Amino acid sequence: MRKIRGSLFTSLDGVIQAPGGPSEDPTEGFAHGGWLPQFFDEDVGGAIDAFFGKDYDLLLGRRTYEIFAAYWPYIGGHATGIGEVFDKTGKDEGEASAAQMGEDFTRALKYVLTRGTPDLGWSNSQRVGSMDELRSIREGEGPDLVIQGSGTLYPALLAEGLLDELTIMTFPVVLGHGKRWFSDATPAKALRIAKTKVTRSGAVIATYEPAGAIEHGWAGPQSTSERETARQAAMAEGRW
């Protein structure tokens, strides 16, 4: 069986919107596009290389697909913006790395999970219309399915038990406003940490695997005081 592996860039307050460039996704008044390059270092680059280090197919949401399709196939000898993310210390090397990733992404089979009918003109792209269809793909033959960004996919993947691994790269920045992958739609699930690393720029790279359901219990002895009994009664009656 193939695995579905995800990777996210996030701020300390959980914002995942537009890490790569100012015009990547300014919707809903987001003013901090391009917040990632300031904190990019060799360790972050190494983690990205490791994530994409084996053969893979891409699994993307519709909006991330459109961002990728308008960028990665066109990266060449004069890459700018995201190209510099891949090597802040050397522009030429950064452009070469971005160009290579553009070639790799174009060559990869790209599954787009969407209820709509977007333009899938980027080569090797196909629509996936449901979680049942994705489950069949996952159970078939082929390389792992990897997700970069596409935060809207994760609640459903977790709920369906289809996410095998999630790498979260948390950067030392608070953005205050923007799209988050954690929402009220995210199901309650336990995760276990598989590996972690702190980079020289302060990014925390942690890889998680599913660990079943949430277990509920008391962190200490349960109180049976009169005051606690009154507090419980107030909560039940909507007065607390």
Side-chain angles (χ1 to χ4, degrees):
M1 182 182 294
R2 310 164 75 173
K3 290 185 177 181
I4 296 179
R5 299 185 289 111
S7 177
L8 281 171
F9 303 133
T10 180
S11 67
L12 284 174
D13 54 339
V15 175
I16 62 171
Q17 187 170 353
S23 61
E24 183 179 304
D25 179 10
T27 57
E28 300 177 13
F30 188 64
H32 299 295
W35 52 267
L36 173 60
Q38 177 181 356
F39 306 101
F40 202 92
D41 59 29
E42 291 182 8
D43 293 328
V44 174
I48 294 172
D49 289 343
F51 183 74
F52 290 107
K54 301 178 181 178
D55 288 340
Y56 59 85
D57 292 339
L58 286 170
L59 174 61
L60 303 170
R62 190 266 300 173
R63 287 186 176 178
T64 299
Y65 174 82
E66 290 183 352
I67 291 170
F68 279 23
Y71 182 83
W72 290 111
Y74 305 99
I75 295 302
H78 300 286
T80 58
I82 293 178
E84 293 185 24
V85 169
F86 290 90
D87 189 338
K88 289 181 65 179
T89 61
K91 183 176 175 63
D92 291 341
E93 291 183 31
E95 291 176 350
S97 296
Q100 182 61 58
M101 180 161 280
E103 292 178 8
D104 293 344
F105 280 2
T106 297
R107 183 169 53 251
L109 181 59
K110 292 166 282 293
Y111 294 100
V112 185
L113 186 61
T114 178
R115 291 188 293 269
T117 55
D119 177 4
L120 300 182
W122 190 11
S123 60
N124 304 315
S125 300
Q126 69 179 63
R127 178 180 177 273
V128 179
S130 69
M131 284 293 162
D132 287 340
E133 186 177 349
L134 179 59
R135 189 183 303 276
S136 296
I137 293 169
R138 178 174 174 263
E139 292 173 354
E141 297 294 327
D144 287 353
L145 301 164
V146 300
I147 311 167
Q148 180 64 62
S150 298
T152 58
L153 301 186
Y154 291 106
L157 292 173
L158 285 168
E160 295 289 335
L162 293 177
L163 186 64
D164 298 287
E165 182 182 286
L166 176 61
T167 298
I168 300 178
M169 302 187 190
T170 305
F171 294 86
V173 60
V174 176
L175 299 173
H177 168 73
K179 297 175 183 177
R180 292 168 166 82
W181 83 282
F182 289 113
S183 69
D184 290 344
T186 306
K189 298 287 184 180
L191 300 172
R192 60 173 167 266
I193 195 161
K195 55 186 176 182
T196 186
K197 181 183 183 70
V198 180
T199 78
R200 64 200 71 185
S201 68
V204 178
I205 303 174
T207 299
Y208 299 89
E209 297 172 348
I214 300 294
E215 298 179 3
H216 302 99
W218 290 97
Q222 184 177 359
S223 173
T224 57
S225 68
E226 290 184 6
R227 188 164 185 168
E228 176 60 15
T229 300
R231 191 180 72 87
Q232 292 291 329
M235 286 192 291
E237 296 168 7
R239 298 182 288 103
W240 190 61

